[in-house]
PDB file of all heavy atoms in Angstrom:
ATOM      1  N   LYS A 546     -10.975  -1.530  14.081  1.00  0.00           N
ATOM      2  CA  LYS A 546      -9.613  -1.576  14.709  1.00  0.00           C
ATOM      3  C   LYS A 546      -8.841  -0.282  14.404  1.00  0.00           C
ATOM      4  O   LYS A 546      -9.037   0.370  13.387  1.00  0.00           O
ATOM      5  CB  LYS A 546      -8.860  -2.787  14.199  1.00  0.00           C
ATOM      6  CG  LYS A 546      -9.499  -4.117  14.599  1.00  0.00           C
ATOM      7  CD  LYS A 546      -8.660  -5.286  14.155  1.00  0.00           C
ATOM      8  CE  LYS A 546      -9.360  -6.574  14.580  1.00  0.00           C
ATOM      9  NZ  LYS A 546      -9.562  -6.655  16.066  1.00  0.00           N
ATOM     10  N   PRO A 547      -7.901   0.088  15.305  1.00  0.00           N
ATOM     11  CA  PRO A 547      -7.071   1.263  15.069  1.00  0.00           C
ATOM     12  C   PRO A 547      -6.033   1.029  14.015  1.00  0.00           C
ATOM     13  O   PRO A 547      -5.763  -0.114  13.605  1.00  0.00           O
ATOM     14  CB  PRO A 547      -6.466   1.503  16.465  1.00  0.00           C
ATOM     15  CG  PRO A 547      -6.398   0.133  17.079  1.00  0.00           C
ATOM     16  CD  PRO A 547      -7.636  -0.592  16.596  1.00  0.00           C
ATOM     17  N   ILE A 548      -5.409   2.122  13.599  1.00  0.00           N
ATOM     18  CA  ILE A 548      -4.367   2.090  12.571  1.00  0.00           C
ATOM     19  C   ILE A 548      -3.064   2.579  13.175  1.00  0.00           C
ATOM     20  O   ILE A 548      -3.017   3.686  13.687  1.00  0.00           O
ATOM     21  CB  ILE A 548      -4.782   2.982  11.394  1.00  0.00           C
ATOM     22  CG1 ILE A 548      -6.098   2.519  10.739  1.00  0.00           C
ATOM     23  CG2 ILE A 548      -3.683   3.011  10.324  1.00  0.00           C
ATOM     24  CD1 ILE A 548      -6.657   3.508   9.754  1.00  0.00           C
ATOM     25  N   LEU A 549      -2.034   1.765  13.035  1.00  0.00           N
ATOM     26  CA  LEU A 549      -0.705   2.141  13.515  1.00  0.00           C
ATOM     27  C   LEU A 549       0.036   2.831  12.379  1.00  0.00           C
ATOM     28  O   LEU A 549       0.199   2.281  11.263  1.00  0.00           O
ATOM     29  CB  LEU A 549       0.064   0.900  13.974  1.00  0.00           C
ATOM     30  CG  LEU A 549       1.465   1.163  14.532  1.00  0.00           C
ATOM     31  CD1 LEU A 549       1.408   2.017  15.801  1.00  0.00           C
ATOM     32  CD2 LEU A 549       2.189  -0.158  14.797  1.00  0.00           C
ATOM     33  N   THR A 550       0.472   4.082  12.612  1.00  0.00           N
ATOM     34  CA  THR A 550       1.176   4.847  11.590  1.00  0.00           C
ATOM     35  C   THR A 550       2.524   5.309  12.127  1.00  0.00           C
ATOM     36  O   THR A 550       2.738   5.359  13.351  1.00  0.00           O
ATOM     37  CB  THR A 550       0.377   6.099  11.198  1.00  0.00           C
ATOM     38  OG1 THR A 550       0.458   7.096  12.253  1.00  0.00           O
ATOM     39  CG2 THR A 550      -1.077   5.787  10.982  1.00  0.00           C
ATOM     40  N   ASP A 551       3.399   5.662  11.207  1.00  0.00           N
ATOM     41  CA  ASP A 551       4.594   6.414  11.617  1.00  0.00           C
ATOM     42  C   ASP A 551       4.913   7.446  10.551  1.00  0.00           C
ATOM     43  O   ASP A 551       4.544   7.319   9.379  1.00  0.00           O
ATOM     44  CB  ASP A 551       5.791   5.511  11.897  1.00  0.00           C
ATOM     45  CG  ASP A 551       6.290   4.700  10.736  1.00  0.00           C
ATOM     46  OD1 ASP A 551       6.612   5.328   9.700  1.00  0.00           O
ATOM     47  OD2 ASP A 551       6.376   3.464  10.823  1.00  0.00           O
ATOM     48  N   VAL A 552       5.568   8.522  10.975  1.00  0.00           N
ATOM     49  CA  VAL A 552       5.977   9.615  10.087  1.00  0.00           C
ATOM     50  C   VAL A 552       7.462   9.804  10.189  1.00  0.00           C
ATOM     51  O   VAL A 552       8.065   9.615  11.256  1.00  0.00           O
ATOM     52  CB  VAL A 552       5.224  10.926  10.424  1.00  0.00           C
ATOM     53  CG1 VAL A 552       3.730  10.779  10.241  1.00  0.00           C
ATOM     54  CG2 VAL A 552       5.539  11.384  11.829  1.00  0.00           C
ATOM     55  N   THR A 553       8.057  10.130   9.055  1.00  0.00           N
ATOM     56  CA  THR A 553       9.517  10.397   9.000  1.00  0.00           C
ATOM     57  C   THR A 553       9.721  11.678   8.201  1.00  0.00           C
ATOM     58  O   THR A 553       9.207  11.825   7.094  1.00  0.00           O
ATOM     59  CB  THR A 553      10.235   9.220   8.296  1.00  0.00           C
ATOM     60  OG1 THR A 553       9.895   7.991   8.921  1.00  0.00           O
ATOM     61  CG2 THR A 553      11.761   9.413   8.361  1.00  0.00           C
ATOM     62  N   PHE A 554      10.501  12.610   8.750  1.00  0.00           N
ATOM     63  CA  PHE A 554      10.706  13.889   8.083  1.00  0.00           C
ATOM     64  C   PHE A 554      11.872  14.642   8.673  1.00  0.00           C
ATOM     65  O   PHE A 554      12.259  14.372   9.827  1.00  0.00           O
ATOM     66  CB  PHE A 554       9.431  14.745   8.178  1.00  0.00           C
ATOM     67  CG  PHE A 554       9.042  15.119   9.565  1.00  0.00           C
ATOM     68  CD1 PHE A 554       9.377  16.361  10.097  1.00  0.00           C
ATOM     69  CD2 PHE A 554       8.315  14.269  10.383  1.00  0.00           C
ATOM     70  CE1 PHE A 554       9.008  16.751  11.390  1.00  0.00           C
ATOM     71  CE2 PHE A 554       7.933  14.614  11.679  1.00  0.00           C
ATOM     72  CZ  PHE A 554       8.288  15.865  12.191  1.00  0.00           C
ATOM     73  N   LEU A 555      12.387  15.569   7.912  1.00  0.00           N
ATOM     74  CA  LEU A 555      13.368  16.527   8.389  1.00  0.00           C
ATOM     75  C   LEU A 555      12.642  17.737   8.960  1.00  0.00           C
ATOM     76  O   LEU A 555      11.818  18.344   8.262  1.00  0.00           O
ATOM     77  CB  LEU A 555      14.285  16.975   7.254  1.00  0.00           C
ATOM     78  CG  LEU A 555      15.246  15.920   6.689  1.00  0.00           C
ATOM     79  CD1 LEU A 555      15.960  16.475   5.446  1.00  0.00           C
ATOM     80  CD2 LEU A 555      16.285  15.523   7.740  1.00  0.00           C
ATOM     81  N   GLN A 556      12.938  18.068  10.192  1.00  0.00           N
ATOM     82  CA  GLN A 556      12.221  19.186  10.849  1.00  0.00           C
ATOM     83  C   GLN A 556      12.777  20.506  10.324  1.00  0.00           C
ATOM     84  O   GLN A 556      13.887  20.926  10.673  1.00  0.00           O
ATOM     85  CB  GLN A 556      12.347  19.070  12.364  1.00  0.00           C
ATOM     86  CG  GLN A 556      11.401  20.026  13.075  1.00  0.00           C
ATOM     87  CD  GLN A 556      11.223  19.621  14.541  1.00  0.00           C
ATOM     88  OE1 GLN A 556      11.915  18.766  15.036  1.00  0.00           O
ATOM     89  NE2 GLN A 556      10.221  20.212  15.182  1.00  0.00           N
ATOM     90  N   THR A 557      12.021  21.192   9.495  1.00  0.00           N
ATOM     91  CA  THR A 557      12.455  22.458   8.877  1.00  0.00           C
ATOM     92  C   THR A 557      11.479  23.587   9.120  1.00  0.00           C
ATOM     93  O   THR A 557      11.790  24.744   8.774  1.00  0.00           O
ATOM     94  CB  THR A 557      12.631  22.253   7.376  1.00  0.00           C
ATOM     95  OG1 THR A 557      11.336  21.908   6.813  1.00  0.00           O
ATOM     96  CG2 THR A 557      13.675  21.178   7.038  1.00  0.00           C
ATOM     97  N   ASN A 558      10.304  23.285   9.641  1.00  0.00           N
ATOM     98  CA  ASN A 558       9.239  24.259   9.770  1.00  0.00           C
ATOM     99  C   ASN A 558       8.810  24.882   8.445  1.00  0.00           C
ATOM    100  O   ASN A 558       8.336  26.019   8.369  1.00  0.00           O
ATOM    101  CB  ASN A 558       9.628  25.380  10.763  1.00  0.00           C
ATOM    102  CG  ASN A 558       9.707  24.894  12.205  1.00  0.00           C
ATOM    103  OD1 ASN A 558       8.874  24.108  12.612  1.00  0.00           O
ATOM    104  ND2 ASN A 558      10.721  25.353  12.929  1.00  0.00           N
ATOM    105  N   LYS A 559       8.999  24.075   7.404  1.00  0.00           N
ATOM    106  CA  LYS A 559       8.561  24.463   6.071  1.00  0.00           C
ATOM    107  C   LYS A 559       7.653  23.357   5.533  1.00  0.00           C
ATOM    108  O   LYS A 559       8.009  22.169   5.663  1.00  0.00           O
ATOM    109  CB  LYS A 559       9.753  24.693   5.142  1.00  0.00           C
ATOM    110  CG  LYS A 559      10.650  25.874   5.536  1.00  0.00           C
ATOM    111  CD  LYS A 559      11.794  26.022   4.565  1.00  0.00           C
ATOM    112  CE  LYS A 559      12.653  27.193   4.957  1.00  0.00           C
ATOM    113  NZ  LYS A 559      13.827  27.351   4.014  1.00  0.00           N
ATOM    114  N   PRO A 560       6.546  23.714   4.901  1.00  0.00           N
ATOM    115  CA  PRO A 560       5.632  22.677   4.392  1.00  0.00           C
ATOM    116  C   PRO A 560       6.250  21.900   3.242  1.00  0.00           C
ATOM    117  O   PRO A 560       6.828  22.511   2.315  1.00  0.00           O
ATOM    118  CB  PRO A 560       4.398  23.479   3.961  1.00  0.00           C
ATOM    119  CG  PRO A 560       4.892  24.864   3.736  1.00  0.00           C
ATOM    120  CD  PRO A 560       6.046  25.077   4.710  1.00  0.00           C
ATOM    121  N   LYS A 561       6.147  20.621   3.319  1.00  0.00           N
ATOM    122  CA  LYS A 561       6.720  19.718   2.297  1.00  0.00           C
ATOM    123  C   LYS A 561       5.593  18.859   1.714  1.00  0.00           C
ATOM    124  O   LYS A 561       4.623  18.563   2.379  1.00  0.00           O
ATOM    125  CB  LYS A 561       7.752  18.794   2.965  1.00  0.00           C
ATOM    126  CG  LYS A 561       8.954  19.546   3.538  1.00  0.00           C
ATOM    127  CD  LYS A 561       9.853  18.610   4.349  1.00  0.00           C
ATOM    128  CE  LYS A 561       9.374  18.505   5.792  1.00  0.00           C
ATOM    129  NZ  LYS A 561       9.558  19.696   6.585  1.00  0.00           N
ATOM    130  N   PRO A 562       5.739  18.428   0.454  1.00  0.00           N
ATOM    131  CA  PRO A 562       4.805  17.419  -0.052  1.00  0.00           C
ATOM    132  C   PRO A 562       4.797  16.176   0.873  1.00  0.00           C
ATOM    133  O   PRO A 562       5.830  15.814   1.423  1.00  0.00           O
ATOM    134  CB  PRO A 562       5.346  17.090  -1.438  1.00  0.00           C
ATOM    135  CG  PRO A 562       6.200  18.269  -1.793  1.00  0.00           C
ATOM    136  CD  PRO A 562       6.794  18.756  -0.520  1.00  0.00           C
ATOM    137  N   ILE A 563       3.646  15.579   1.008  1.00  0.00           N
ATOM    138  CA  ILE A 563       3.543  14.391   1.864  1.00  0.00           C
ATOM    139  C   ILE A 563       3.288  13.115   1.059  1.00  0.00           C
ATOM    140  O   ILE A 563       2.396  13.070   0.213  1.00  0.00           O
ATOM    141  CB  ILE A 563       2.463  14.584   2.945  1.00  0.00           C
ATOM    142  CG1 ILE A 563       2.293  13.324   3.828  1.00  0.00           C
ATOM    143  CG2 ILE A 563       1.121  15.001   2.348  1.00  0.00           C
ATOM    144  CD1 ILE A 563       1.468  13.520   5.055  1.00  0.00           C
ATOM    145  N   VAL A 564       4.147  12.132   1.267  1.00  0.00           N
ATOM    146  CA  VAL A 564       4.019  10.825   0.621  1.00  0.00           C
ATOM    147  C   VAL A 564       3.397   9.865   1.596  1.00  0.00           C
ATOM    148  O   VAL A 564       3.906   9.668   2.706  1.00  0.00           O
ATOM    149  CB  VAL A 564       5.405  10.305   0.149  1.00  0.00           C
ATOM    150  CG1 VAL A 564       5.261   8.915  -0.504  1.00  0.00           C
ATOM    151  CG2 VAL A 564       6.073  11.286  -0.803  1.00  0.00           C
ATOM    152  N   VAL A 565       2.261   9.253   1.188  1.00  0.00           N
ATOM    153  CA  VAL A 565       1.553   8.306   2.022  1.00  0.00           C
ATOM    154  C   VAL A 565       1.701   6.906   1.401  1.00  0.00           C
ATOM    155  O   VAL A 565       1.299   6.678   0.255  1.00  0.00           O
ATOM    156  CB  VAL A 565       0.047   8.653   2.153  1.00  0.00           C
ATOM    157  CG1 VAL A 565      -0.693   7.621   3.005  1.00  0.00           C
ATOM    158  CG2 VAL A 565      -0.105  10.044   2.744  1.00  0.00           C
TER     159      VAL A 565
END
Side-chain angles (χ1 to χ4, degrees):
K546 297 184 180 301
I548 300 169
L549 182 63
T550 74
D551 63 56
V552 298
T553 306
F554 63 97
L555 291 173
Q556 192 162 12
T557 61
N558 290 321
K559 295 180 180 180
K561 297 171 275 289
I563 177 168
V564 178
V565 179

